[in-house]
């Protein structure tokens, strides 16, 4: 196909070739759409060239797209095709509006309007960042080139000294490139834009500081974006700092502005505290992918950089793990909201101070509540597992933090955070877990109660503290509920026992009331050697009757038994009543 004459050259067996355009120009006035991807899709504006007759000529400064048919000669036979363009060499001033039809037509939103395919009109490489020679009124400062070579199907982008996917300030001879008008443009070039020397298509100059690159890879395919910080940039799209994301033929990676614009190069205002960015990934097919992070060493500002995978919950410290691998399944084709990039200024703000902290305690294993104060109005807090931990505990931003269940004491750290996200120094807060064995009461033979702890005892009767009763043992002198408390810091363990004192324990009943063995291990035998004794029962120290004895007559009295084998060791009472209603109580010890 001869782009000047519009005629095909080669085999006559190319059925239908005469109606298939192999060269195109671009009509900005066509309304382009984004195919619901949020990425500028330029395909709607292509127009076959020549349009009407084979007598049309190429316009100075206009870009053209060529399509080479690989199934017909000469490509099918020689493996390549030669394109010849013959015309006098351009020189002097080129007015792209006049010669190339550069325009701005509103129709489908600012991100999709004003796209123009222009070309290098000079017989040399030109410099998009030349100190003089350009007039770019109403034109964004970004340029975009379709890479059909090493990164086939992707766009190389350049703006403000920053390139992505190999984008450069230098535009070689014969190269078409995209510019975007944002209003009625004035767009001209003079001889001053020519670049000296042998500059090449994708020559990368030294990037500015405070910059990082993020690359999405799958096999040999890759797509790159750039994030950087500049004092003249804003959060929204800046025509001289940012570059839109043009839709690749492969997958697409971009950052997203607060207004939803997707960018290949995102210039942001200088990092004061922290910045969170959504990484949008679209048009991916099933398979293995990875995100690579590079050039973050350029940061002059001390920063931490983290990648948060919302699907898996993983947080990656990019500075130590610069590659993150993930899978795309058959159910997924877009990760518009899966990945979040967090860039945090690690310079501590000395004005953000934690004014006070409150340690917490759990008596034995359990959750502990700890507190802090000092964040400014509208601010928040960050709680950390360790003093140097790069990740704050997720979801814990209030002054109160309830820990997970702890088996032992642990020190946490907390910092105050301003509304802007600046952070102060971390201070320690103790979550204390006090472990101890519960106190146990036992009965001594003389009626004395004994604590299982030697120290830190306090005795109570019927809930009232007994002054001076702080020893390990205490002997009740009257009936009541006796309790001992043992202090372990702020934790208390307690045990209590109901005691019944009849006042006749020491009455001499020898020869009249006989019981044995005492202490008893199995069966207690009770004998009445008097007709005056009637009923008998066994009671525990809580006052509960465990059973009565059946007293069988014998000479001069009665005899009965009680089986203790199913009862635990301790102190029990044998209660016997006489004909006058008096109750005699004797202490029985069960081994």
């Amino acid at each position: 196909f001869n782009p000047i004459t519009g005629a095909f050259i080669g085999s006559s067996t190319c059925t239908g070739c005469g109606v298939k355009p192999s060269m195109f120009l671009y009509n900005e006035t066509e309304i382009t759409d984004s195919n619901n991807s949020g990425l500028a899709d330029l395909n709607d504006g292509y127009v076959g060239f020549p349009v009407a007759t084979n007598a049309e000529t190429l316009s100075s400064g206009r870009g053209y797209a060529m399509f080479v048919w690989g199934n017909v000669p000469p490509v099918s036979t020689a493996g390549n095709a030669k394109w010849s363009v013959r015309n006098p060499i351009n020189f002097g001033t080129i007015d792209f509006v006049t010669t190339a039809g550069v325009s701005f037509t509103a129709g489908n939103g600012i991100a999709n309007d004003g796209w123009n395919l222009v070309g290098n009109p000079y017989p040399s490489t030109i410099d998009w960042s030349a100190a003089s020679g350009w007039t770019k009124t109403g034109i964004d400062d970004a340029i975009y080139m379709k890479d059909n070579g090493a990164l086939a199907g992707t766009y190389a982008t350049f703006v403000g000294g920053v390139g992505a996917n190999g984008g450069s300030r230098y535009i070689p001879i014969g190269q078409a490139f995209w510019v975007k008008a944002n209003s009625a443009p004035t767009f001209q070039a003079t001889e001053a834009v020519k670049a000296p020397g042998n500059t090449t298509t994708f020559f990368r100059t030294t990037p500015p500081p405070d910059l990082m690159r993020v690359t999405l890879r799958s096999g040999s395919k890759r797509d790159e974006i750039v994030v950087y910080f500049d004092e003249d940039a804003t959060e929204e799209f800046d025509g001289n700092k940012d570059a839109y994301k043009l839709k690749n033929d492969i997958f697409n990676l971009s950052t997203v502005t607060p207004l939803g614009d997707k960018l290949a190069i995102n210039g942001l205002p200088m990092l004061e505290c922290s910045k969170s960015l959504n990484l949008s990934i679209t048009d991916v097919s099933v398979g293995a992918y990875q995100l690579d992070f590079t050039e973050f060493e350029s940061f002059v500002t001390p920063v931490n950089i983290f990648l948060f995978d919302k699907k898996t919950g993983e947080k990656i410290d990019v500075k130590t793990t610069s590659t993150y691998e993930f899978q795309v399944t058959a159910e997924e084709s877009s990760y518009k909201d899966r990945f979040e990039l967090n860039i945090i200024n690690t310079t501590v703000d000395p004005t953000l101070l934690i004014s006070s902290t409150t340690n917490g305690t759990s008596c034995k294993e359990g959750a502990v509540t700890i507190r802090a104060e000092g964040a400014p109005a509208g601010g928040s807090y960050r709680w950390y597992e360790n003093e140097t931990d790069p990740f704050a505990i997720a979801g814990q931003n209030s002054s109160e933090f309830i820990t997970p269940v702890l088996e032992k004491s642990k020190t946490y750290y907390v910092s105050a955070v301003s509304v802007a996200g600046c952070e102060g120094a971390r201070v320690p807060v103790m979550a204390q877990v006090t472990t101890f064995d519960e106190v146990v009461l036992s009965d001594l033979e003389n009626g004395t109660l004994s604590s299982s702890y030697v120290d830190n005892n306090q005795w109570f009767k019927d809930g009232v503290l007994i002054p001076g009763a702080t020893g390990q043992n205490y002997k009740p002198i009257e009936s009541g509920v006796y309790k001992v408390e043992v202090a372990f810091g702020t934790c208390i363990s307690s045990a209590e026992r109901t005691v019944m004192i009849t006042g006749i324990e020491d009455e001499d009943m020898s020869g009249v009331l006989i019981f044995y063995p005492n202490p008893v291990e199995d069966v207690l035998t009770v004998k009445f050697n008097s007709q005056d004794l009637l009923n008998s029962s066994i009671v525990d120290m809580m006052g509960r009757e465990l059973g009565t004895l059946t007293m069988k007559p014998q000479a001069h009295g009665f005899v009965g038994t009680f089986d203790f084998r199913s009862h635990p060791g301790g102190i029990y009472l044998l209660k016997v009543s006489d004909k006058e209603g008096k109750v005699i109580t004797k202490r029985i010890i069960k081994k």
Side-chain angles (χ1 to χ4, degrees), residues 402-484:
I402 301 176
T403 74
V405 173
L406 301 177
E407 295 181 353
K408 60 182 180 179
S409 299
K410 176 178 174 60
T411 299
Y412 288 88
Y413 290 83
V414 62
S415 63
V417 182
S418 70
V419 177
C422 294
E423 185 174 10
R426 302 178 189 182
V427 298
V429 191
M430 173 63 75
Q432 184 172 346
V433 177
T434 302
T435 58
F436 54 89
D437 293 327
E438 296 289 348
V439 62
V440 177
L441 275 180
S442 58
D443 301 284
L444 302 182
E445 292 187 12
N446 61 358
T448 299
L449 300 177
S450 181
S451 167
S452 56
Y453 282 91
V454 176
D455 301 314
N456 301 321
N457 294 285
Q458 176 61 61
W459 294 88
F460 297 78
K461 177 184 178 294
D462 297 330
V464 179
L465 183 144
I466 304 173
T470 57
Q472 182 178 12
N473 301 325
Y474 184 78
K475 184 175 182 178
I477 59 174
E478 58 182 346
S479 299
V481 178
Y482 287 83
K483 179 177 70 171
V484 65

Side-chain angles (χ1 to χ4, degrees), residues 6-293:
F8 280 94
I9 304 172
S11 171
S12 60
T13 60
C14 180
T15 304
C17 288
V19 298
K20 295 181 180 179
S22 294
M23 194 168 184
F24 302 85
L25 55 77
Y26 192 81
N27 183 2
E28 184 276 333
T29 62
E30 293 287 338
I31 296 177
T32 59
D33 60 56
S34 62
N35 290 338
N36 297 318
S37 68
L39 306 178
D41 182 358
L42 308 180
N43 293 326
D44 293 342
Y46 283 110
V47 176
F49 179 85
V51 177
T53 70
N54 290 341
E56 296 179 39
T57 60
L58 304 178
S59 300
S60 298
R62 182 183 286 278
Y64 295 86
M66 295 184 292
F67 185 89
V68 180
W69 295 90
N71 62 336
V72 297
V75 178
S76 63
T77 56
N80 57 69
K82 182 179 292 186
W83 299 76
S84 298
V85 178
R86 299 177 179 86
N87 212 43
I89 293 175
N90 287 319
F91 65 92
T93 299
I94 302 296
D95 187 334
F96 291 90
V97 174
T98 301
T99 63
V102 171
S103 61
F104 173 78
T105 305
N108 198 45
I110 189 63
N112 293 304
D113 298 331
W115 292 100
N116 291 268
L117 183 61
V118 298
N120 177 357
Y122 296 110
S124 70
T125 298
I126 60 176
D127 183 357
W128 184 251
S129 300
S132 63
W134 289 106
T135 301
K136 304 174 184 175
T137 305
I139 299 288
D140 290 344
D141 198 37
I143 55 174
Y144 310 79
M145 300 180 193
K146 188 69 171 291
D147 185 351
N148 292 308
L151 299 178
T154 61
Y155 280 91
T157 310
F158 176 83
V159 65
V162 179
N165 281 337
S168 167
R169 63 190 285 183
Y170 298 107
I171 305 167
I173 181 174
Q175 175 69 56
F177 60 99
W178 294 93
V179 296
K180 184 183 181 306
N182 53 55
S183 60
T186 300
F187 186 28
Q188 296 177 342
T190 70
E191 297 278 333
V193 305
K194 293 181 178 179
N198 296 320
T199 53
T200 57
T201 305
F202 298 124
F203 180 77
R204 181 178 290 173
T205 58
T206 302
D210 293 342
L211 171 149
M212 70 177 299
R213 297 180 185 274
V214 186
T215 305
L216 176 64
R217 298 180 187 271
S218 179
S220 61
K221 297 178 181 179
R222 58 184 290 268
D223 188 27
E224 180 184 78
I225 62 171
V226 175
V227 176
Y228 72 102
F229 294 86
D230 186 282
E231 61 184 359
D232 295 325
T234 69
E235 295 284 347
E236 302 301 340
F237 178 83
D238 301 305
N240 62 338
K241 298 293 180 182
D242 301 324
Y244 286 107
K245 183 67 180 182
L246 295 188
K247 185 175 175 60
N248 297 324
D249 295 340
I250 60 169
F251 44 73
N252 292 276
L253 173 66
S254 61
T255 60
V256 185
T257 72
L259 292 181
D261 291 324
K262 293 188 174 183
L263 305 180
I265 299 176
N266 191 352
L268 296 164
M270 294 303 294
L271 184 65
E272 293 184 6
C273 302
S274 63
K275 178 62 181 177
S276 295
L277 291 167
N278 284 328
L279 299 183
S280 175
I281 298 175
T282 59
D283 307 301
V284 287
S285 56
V286 174
Y289 291 80
Q290 68 184 50
L291 288 168
D292 293 336
F293 302 87

